Amino acid sequence: MQSVATESHSEQLWNRRYDENVGEVNRLLDTLGEARPDMQVPYVDPIHDVDECRIISLYSNVGTADESGFITAGDPQASTRLLGVHWQLGLRPSYVMPWNVHPWFTPGEPNGRLTAPQIEAGLRPLVKLLALVPRASALVAHGTEAHRLADQLAKAQSHTLYKRGFGIYKVKSPGGRSFAGSPERQEQWLLEIAKAYAESMTRCGVPVKGR
């Protein structure tokens, strides 16, 4: 008797990318892709949640797009490090919304160091994302490009961010060459990342594990 084929976990996630909890965000990403049909735009994984989102994780998306088709923190090591930080703090994925500084990738090619125009092009999409996650009141910017876009956001949306009690935190990218260093330095960088997320959680009213 022939067994019935079942969807893999990755296929299940892909088929749920328009679920109610992330559909609005992924349709926004669709519009960004339609505006540049020669480019690839990764989606937000359905483990995240528009209504529950309190913190935006902004990634300096230098390198290649993940094969999953979803936004990640970077290479597998970066994702593992960041998941470890979130687990230690008790930060659930539904409270976090991942986003890329420059939402677009050239298919089959890695993004190099993002240029000023590429970073600037990411401002309007980020502002649109903020409108979709009204309960978010913190942004953690990972890496130099994310720091620069966060500065542009603070300047362009200062009144809106003030009304929302919005906080911006700048930390290292958790992977790639930017995280290259001795074990001691890497540990210090992880502590700084954890501190930024813990402060973001406190700002947003999300309890931090063990506190």
Side-chain angles (χ1 to χ4, degrees):
M1 181 176 178
Q2 187 175 9
S3 61
V4 178
T6 58
E7 289 183 333
S8 67
H9 180 64
S10 59
E11 288 173 332
Q12 290 175 11
L13 292 177
W14 181 257
N15 291 333
R16 290 177 48 216
R17 67 191 186 278
Y18 295 115
D19 281 3
E20 185 176 358
N21 56 300
V22 289
E24 285 184 291
V25 173
N26 284 332
R27 281 188 285 272
L28 167 60
L29 289 164
D30 276 338
T31 64
L32 299 179
E34 290 164 3
R36 300 186 182 186
D38 56 326
M39 305 293 277
Q40 177 183 2
V41 180
Y43 291 105
V44 169
D45 190 305
I47 62 172
H48 303 286
D49 192 291
V50 169
D51 292 332
E52 292 293 323
C53 174
R54 303 294 197 282
I55 301 167
I56 296 170
S57 290
L58 183 63
Y59 302 130
S60 297
N61 53 308
V62 174
T64 56
D66 193 82
E67 291 182 358
S68 67
F70 293 116
I71 297 170
T72 68
D75 56 36
Q77 284 186 317
S79 297
T80 299
R81 290 186 183 112
L82 197 56
L83 283 172
V85 168
H86 290 182
W87 181 84
Q88 290 173 356
L89 298 173
L91 180 57
R92 301 201 311 262
S94 59
Y95 287 139
V96 182
M97 187 64 63
W99 196 255
N100 285 329
V101 168
H102 187 70
W104 303 273
F105 288 85
T106 300
E109 295 182 17
N111 280 338
R113 186 174 180 177
L114 299 180
T115 64
Q118 285 178 312
I119 295 170
E120 185 176 355
L123 178 58
R124 184 173 293 180
L126 179 57
V127 171
K128 290 182 177 180
L129 172 68
L130 282 173
L132 297 178
V133 288
R135 301 179 74 182
S137 56
L139 180 148
V140 180
H142 290 273
T144 302
E145 288 87 352
H147 298 174
R148 291 175 180 168
L149 182 56
D151 288 340
Q152 292 183 22
L153 176 70
K155 183 176 181 180
Q157 299 287 312
S158 58
H159 181 65
T160 299
L161 298 184
Y162 176 78
K163 285 172 59 178
R164 288 174 66 157
F166 203 92
I168 293 175
Y169 303 85
K170 300 177 183 179
V171 294
K172 295 278 288 186
S173 288
R177 286 182 295 177
S178 65
F179 212 78
S182 67
E184 292 77 17
R185 293 188 70 185
Q186 290 187 358
E187 182 63 26
Q188 181 60 39
W189 293 333
L190 283 174
L191 288 173
E192 291 170 359
I193 292 172
K195 180 181 178 182
Y197 276 100
E199 290 182 1
S200 297
M201 292 167 71
T202 300
R203 172 183 290 273
C204 301
V206 176
V208 179
K209 185 189 294 185
R211 297 187 185 179

